Amino acid sequence: MAVTSTRIRLGALLGGAVLAATGVSTAQSAAAAPSAPAAADAPSAAAVTKLSHSDAANRLRGAGISWTSSGGCSDRNNPSCTSFEQINLTTVQGAVTLKGATGCALTITGGTETGHASGTYSHWNGYKLDFSPTSCLSNYITGTFTNIGPRPGDGAQQYKSGSGNVYARESNHWDVTYYNCGGC
């Protein structure tokens, strides 16, 4: 048990060093220090990898996904901007998976900027993206995913993918919650 615990701790430290060298941070790598608790003592939740705005933008651009900002900016603290600062890696991967599955042109209209609803699985916490509701995207979501009924609070129709991600049709966009990368 002690050997396994030491290997896990060493792996976390090395993984954190590799991630830090590439500009990617994780909750695990931030906490991975010589005094970190043994893996058996740690919570069972997986570490969430956070990206910088520029890293996320490069990944999205590389996949052919565009974005727009009503304010023409990327300041996370300005609700008129579209920011990807502190977005989860799995959220970006989920958008890339969606692009590949649909073949549709995707335009992101909302990221991690302030001004969205709060909560654990929120925009601010890196779990959500908003997409323009093109007919291609809307037809794919409604024809492929399971309708799970209206969202409590605002009544937005929700569709759940096979991987568990939820697509809610708000008045002028698709509000997508990425719990995982959608099979990436």
Side-chain angles (χ1 to χ4, degrees):
M1 176 81 167
V3 171
T4 302
S5 180
T6 301
R7 284 183 185 156
I8 290 171
R9 190 173 304 138
L10 180 58
L13 288 170
L14 292 174
V18 169
L19 292 173
T22 61
V24 177
S25 65
T26 67
Q28 182 182 18
S29 66
S35 61
D41 300 333
S44 61
V48 176
T49 302
K50 299 290 188 175
L51 301 178
S52 67
H53 176 84
S54 62
D55 188 12
N58 286 334
R59 290 168 186 257
L60 293 165
R61 188 179 300 110
I65 299 170
S66 62
W67 56 93
T68 186
S69 166
S70 60
C73 49
S74 62
D75 179 355
R76 187 170 199 230
N77 296 302
N78 182 338
S80 297
C81 298
T82 297
S83 176
F84 304 126
E85 190 65 36
Q86 294 297 303
I87 196 166
N88 298 338
L89 172 61
T90 53
T91 300
V92 172
Q93 291 171 327
V96 171
T97 299
L98 181 65
K99 169 72 174 159
T102 65
C104 300
L106 296 182
T107 303
I108 297 170
T109 61
T112 61
E113 65 280 348
T114 191
H116 299 278
S118 62
T120 301
Y121 299 103
S122 64
H123 283 272
W124 183 261
N125 288 335
Y127 288 91
K128 289 187 167 210
L129 286 171
D130 291 340
F131 292 94
S132 292
T134 64
S135 57
C136 180
L137 179 60
S138 296
N139 289 338
Y140 180 85
I141 292 169
T142 60
T144 306
F145 302 146
T146 303
N147 185 316
I148 58 171
R151 183 167 59 189
D154 66 357
Q157 277 301 311
Q158 300 178 102
Y159 297 83
K160 190 172 188 177
S161 71
S163 64
N165 296 323
V166 177
Y167 298 72
R169 183 59 168 92
E170 294 186 7
S171 63
N172 62 353
H173 63 270
W174 282 100
D175 176 76
V176 184
T177 307
Y178 287 103
Y179 298 104
N180 57 66
C181 66
C184 64

